[in-house]
């Protein structure tokens, strides 16, 4: 059972998250990309290097709390269609999956369509067969727990990728700089704030 000091500590943390969190979110929308898919394929949280490429540490990195919240948020944000969560074990088992995803994610800021490659085609086909068909939704963190603790900041990108048009529909960029809170709470705050900004700009609709 939690003692009184622990309960008070978490009460202060939660209060601070709602009142004094300094997470800032920017949204970049491609109005010219009209996605024809209502289904969402929600990938597990991924870790990036500082240059925006996929980190080799993804073989060890896991954030099950965010994976659950991410899928739940998406389920609350689409009126029609289905959300297909991609379990990390499934992603880890797809040959060259991270290499193919690196092609997509390193073009996060690109306004041009990404060239289709054999690796991407194989990944899309495998995901469709094993999980489902839909636009790819990503939750991307630049800091793992140790890096967050040493810097006391957390950078987070989120994006929706249209697999037919091979381009990003929208992306968000968030940065948490606030009270020193547990990594799990900081990651949740950046995800929550990112969805809130998408709701505020009427890019997504909250149920």
């Amino acid at each position: 059972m939690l003692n009184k000091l622990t309960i008070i500590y978490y009460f202060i943390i939660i209060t601070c998250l709602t009142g004094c969190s300094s997470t800032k979110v920017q949204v970049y929308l491609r109005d010219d990309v009209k996605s024809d898919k209502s289904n969402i394929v929600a990938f597990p949280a991924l870790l990036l290097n500082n240059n925006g490429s996929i980190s080799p540490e993804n073989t060890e990195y896991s954030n099950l709390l965010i994976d659950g919240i991410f899928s739940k948020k998406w389920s609350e944000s689409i009126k029609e269609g289905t959300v297909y969560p991609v379990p990390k074990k499934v992603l880890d088992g797809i040959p060259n999956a991270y290499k193919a995803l690196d092609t997509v994610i390193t073009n996060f800021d690109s306004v041009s369509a990404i060239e289709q490659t054999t690796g991407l085609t194989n990944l899309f086909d495998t995901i469709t067969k094993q999980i489902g068909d839909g636009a790819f939704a990503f939750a991307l963190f630049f800091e793992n727990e140790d890096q967050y603790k040493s810097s006391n900041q957390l950078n987070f990108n989120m994006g929706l990728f249209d697999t037919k048009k091979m381009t990003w529909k929208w992306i968000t960029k968030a940065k948490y700089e606030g009270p020193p809170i547990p990594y799990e709470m900081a990651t949740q705050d950046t995800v929550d704030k990112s969805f809130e900004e998408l709701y505020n700009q009427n890019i997504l609709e909250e149920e």
Side-chain angles (χ1 to χ4, degrees):
M1 181 179 294
L2 295 176
N3 59 42
K4 290 184 178 180
L5 287 177
T6 303
I7 294 173
I8 292 172
Y9 170 75
Y10 280 109
F11 175 77
I12 293 173
I13 290 297
I14 293 170
T15 301
C16 220
L17 270 178
T18 57
C20 57
S21 165
S22 57
T23 296
K24 298 178 180 179
V25 181
Q26 293 177 304
V27 178
Y28 303 87
L29 174 66
R30 290 284 306 277
D31 286 322
D32 58 317
V33 179
K34 305 297 182 183
S35 180
D36 58 357
K37 287 190 173 300
S38 56
N39 295 338
I40 300 295
V41 176
F43 280 81
L46 298 174
L47 189 64
L48 304 185
N49 294 315
N50 288 334
N51 63 2
S53 62
I54 292 282
S55 171
E57 294 184 21
N58 276 293
T59 54
E60 303 295 332
Y61 182 75
S62 178
N63 196 327
L64 296 178
L65 173 65
I66 289 302
D67 294 346
I69 291 173
F70 192 56
S71 296
K72 183 176 182 293
K73 288 283 188 182
W74 269 112
S75 297
E76 296 171 348
S77 304
I78 58 174
K79 292 183 177 180
E80 299 178 356
T82 304
V83 176
Y84 299 110
V86 181
K88 189 173 186 303
K89 287 185 178 180
V90 172
L91 184 62
D92 289 344
I94 300 175
N96 300 313
Y98 289 105
K99 182 178 180 180
L101 287 178
D102 192 60
T103 302
V104 173
I105 292 169
T106 52
N107 285 277
F108 195 73
D109 293 304
S110 176
V111 296
S112 302
I114 298 172
E115 182 181 355
Q116 182 78 289
T117 65
T118 301
L120 283 175
T121 300
N122 291 340
L123 176 65
F124 294 165
D125 289 345
T126 303
I127 291 293
T128 299
K129 292 176 182 177
Q130 293 190 21
I131 305 296
D133 187 20
F136 284 6
F138 293 97
L140 310 167
F141 293 95
F142 285 83
E143 290 87 13
N144 60 22
E145 186 170 5
D146 290 338
Q147 292 168 326
Y148 163 71
K149 287 180 177 178
S150 64
S151 65
N152 199 35
Q153 68 177 26
L154 184 70
N155 293 277
F156 170 68
N157 290 351
M158 197 165 76
L160 185 67
F161 185 80
D162 189 305
T163 57
K164 299 300 182 184
K165 297 180 175 65
M166 292 296 294
T167 190
W168 294 96
K169 168 62 179 172
W170 54 256
I171 62 176
T172 70
K173 296 185 177 183
K175 185 175 184 178
Y176 174 83
E177 287 181 304
I181 60 176
Y183 182 71
E184 292 79 6
M185 298 183 73
T187 55
Q188 182 177 347
D189 186 60
T190 55
V191 172
D192 288 342
K193 293 294 194 305
S194 296
F195 273 97
E196 285 176 14
E197 189 60 32
L198 290 168
Y199 297 146
N200 290 339
Q201 296 191 27
N202 297 316
I203 297 172
L204 294 178
E205 295 183 14
E206 187 176 15
E207 288 186 352

